[in-house]
Amino acid sequence: TLDGRRIELSANIEFPEEVPSILHYGCDGIGLYRTEYFYLNRTDVPGEEEQFKAYKYVAQKMKPHSVIIRTLDVGGDKLVSQLGIPKEMNPFLGWRAIRFCLARPEIFKVQLRAILRASNYGKLKMMYPMISGIEELKEANSLFEEVRCELKKKKIGFDENMEVGAMIEIPSAAMTCDVLAKEVNFFSIGTNDLIQYSLAVDRSNEKIAYLYQPAHPAVLRLIKNIIDVAHGNGIWVGMCGEMAGEPHFALLLLGMGLDEFSVSPMSVPIIKNVIRSVRLDQMQELAKEALKLPSGKQIEEFTKRRLKETTPSIVKTVGRPKSAALDYTD
C-alpha cells in the first residue's frame, strides 16, 4: 500500500501446467492449489507417487514462493464415481471435503504423504476444506501426525515446519474460530461457500441469485470476526473465494485486515493496482464506515464509489447479476 503495508497476492490454480502463466501475471505464490483434478475423469484412484510428482513440480517451479495445497475437496458438485460418493438430496450439505477424507483415511493419508514428501522441494503449505468444528480439525491433524511419524521412521525427508491451515467457509467455523485458531498456523476464508451457507442461498440457482450478496452485513461481520480472532491468536488470514478478486471488495478487505488475497491469475494485476493505489489507514476508516451500513446493496455502492475515487483508471461499474460486478479496463 502507499503507506508501506505489504499484502500477499497469490493465485488460485487447478493444474500444474498453469504455473508458468501465473508467474507471468506477477503473483507472490499460490494461495489455493485445488487437487480434485487427480480424481476426475478416470476409473482408478490416484496413487501417492503420481500426486507426489505433481506437488513436487509445482513446489520447485514456484520456489521461493509459497504454495498452499487444499486437501481433497470432492462431493458437492464434484462427484467422483470411483470413490463411492453417492448422489444426495443436498450434496453441498452432505458427505464431502474433509468429511469424506476423515471417513476414508486410507485415501486421505496417501495424499498427506505425497504433500509432505513434496514439501522437501519448496515452500509448501496445506489446508483442510470445510472444517465445521474442533473435532474434525483435531482428527485431521491426528492423521497428519501419523503420516509424519511414518515418514520419520522410514527416514523420508519433509519440511517439519510446514504450515497447516483450516478453510473457514461454514458459519459454525467462523463463530468458533477462536477455538480453531489454536490448532493451525493460518486461516483461509472460502467466501463462495461461506456466503452460500450464511445466507441460505444456492449460488447456482438463478431465481434467487439476487440474494447472493458478498457485502451482506452478516457476511462481513463474520469475515471481520475471523480476521480479528486470528490476529489475536497470532496467525495470519487469507481469502481464496471470488470476493477477493473484486477490486471494490479489495478495498474493504484491506481495511478489515486481510493478510493475503488469492485470486484468479488474470485478476492479479488488477488487485495489485488497487492495493498500490491506497493507504491502509484510509481503508481501515472505509471498513469502519461500511460496517455501519444496514444493507449489502448500500455497502456495495459505497465501496464502488470509493474505488472510483482511489483508482479511477481501472474500473467502470456495470450491472451485477451474480458474482461478476465490474468491467475492467486499462
Side-chain angles (χ1 to χ4, degrees), residues 236-297:
W236 61 271
V237 188
M239 180 180 289
C240 57
E242 291 177 11
M243 187 177 179
E246 297 199 32
H248 61 298
F249 287 142
L251 300 180
L252 181 58
L253 294 168
L254 271 173
M256 294 169 90
L258 192 68
D259 302 298
E260 183 233 26
F261 292 70
S262 189
V263 302
S264 67
M266 288 185 292
S267 296
V268 169
I270 298 167
I271 301 303
K272 183 177 288 188
N273 193 348
V274 171
I275 292 170
R276 286 176 166 173
S277 301
V278 299
R279 294 179 56 89
L280 180 62
D281 55 359
Q282 292 174 342
M283 294 307 98
Q284 289 169 337
E285 288 302 313
L286 177 149
K288 287 180 183 177
E289 291 180 49
L291 287 167
K292 294 175 184 177
L293 297 173
S295 75
K297 183 178 180 181

Side-chain angles (χ1 to χ4, degrees), residues 50-296:
E50 178 185 352
Q51 295 188 59
F52 163 68
K53 288 178 180 178
Y55 303 150
K56 176 184 175 183
Y57 169 82
V58 174
Q60 289 178 320
K61 288 292 183 180
M62 290 302 301
K63 195 175 181 179
H65 301 299
S66 64
V67 176
I68 303 177
I69 298 176
R70 181 178 70 186
T71 59
L72 183 59
D73 187 8
V74 289
D77 59 347
K78 298 183 287 287
L79 291 177
V80 183
S81 58
Q82 70 270 26
L83 296 180
I85 299 176
K87 289 185 178 180
E88 299 174 306
M89 288 286 289
N90 295 298
F92 284 100
L93 303 179
W95 196 46
R96 56 173 293 209
I98 197 65
R99 300 169 181 180
F100 169 82
C101 289
L102 296 179
R104 299 289 298 275
E106 73 281 3
I107 292 174
F108 191 34
K109 289 176 71 174
V110 167
Q111 182 177 41
L112 295 178
R113 280 196 298 270
I115 293 171
L116 272 170
R117 288 172 58 199
S119 71
N120 222 22
Y121 298 88
K123 192 177 180 182
L124 287 189
K125 302 177 185 180
M126 181 185 78
M127 60 185 181
Y128 309 119
M130 207 179 175
I131 292 293
S132 64
I134 190 64
E135 295 86 359
E136 286 175 333
L137 184 53
K138 284 190 172 183
E139 188 176 349
N141 276 340
S142 178
L143 288 172
F144 179 66
E145 187 58 34
E146 281 183 29
V147 172
R148 282 169 48 91
C149 292
E150 290 169 7
L151 292 180
K152 281 183 179 181
K153 286 180 181 178
K154 295 179 180 179
K155 297 184 178 180
I156 297 174
F158 62 89
D159 178 6
E160 296 199 24
N161 297 311
M162 185 179 79
E163 291 188 25
V164 176
M167 289 194 69
I168 307 298
E169 49 192 340
I170 297 178
S172 61
M175 296 302 294
T176 58
C177 57
D178 57 324
V179 179
L180 303 179
K182 296 174 174 57
E183 304 293 329
V184 292
N185 303 112
F186 66 93
F187 286 149
S188 181
I189 305 173
T191 52
N192 297 356
D193 274 341
L194 184 63
I195 296 165
Q196 176 172 247
Y197 294 138
S198 299
L199 304 181
V201 176
D202 179 354
R203 53 194 169 100
S204 64
N205 187 333
E206 293 182 2
K207 291 182 179 179
I208 55 173
Y210 69 96
L211 291 172
Y212 186 86
Q213 298 178 15
H216 192 290
V219 174
L220 297 184
R221 290 175 189 182
L222 286 176
I223 292 172
K224 186 68 166 66
N225 180 65
I226 294 164
I227 294 171
D228 289 346
V229 169
H231 290 169
N233 282 272
I235 66 174
W236 61 271
V237 188
M239 180 180 289
C240 57
E242 291 177 11
M243 187 177 179
E246 297 199 32
H248 61 298
F249 287 142
L251 300 180
L252 181 58
L253 294 168
L254 271 173
M256 294 169 90
L258 192 68
D259 302 298
E260 183 233 26
F261 292 70
S262 189
V263 302
S264 67
M266 288 185 292
S267 296
V268 169
I270 298 167
I271 301 303
K272 183 177 288 188
N273 193 348
V274 171
I275 292 170
R276 286 176 166 173
S277 301
V278 299
R279 294 179 56 89
L280 180 62
D281 55 359
Q282 292 174 342
M283 294 307 98
Q284 289 169 337
E285 288 302 313
L286 177 149
K288 287 180 183 177
E289 291 180 49
L291 287 167
K292 294 175 184 177
L293 297 173
S295 75

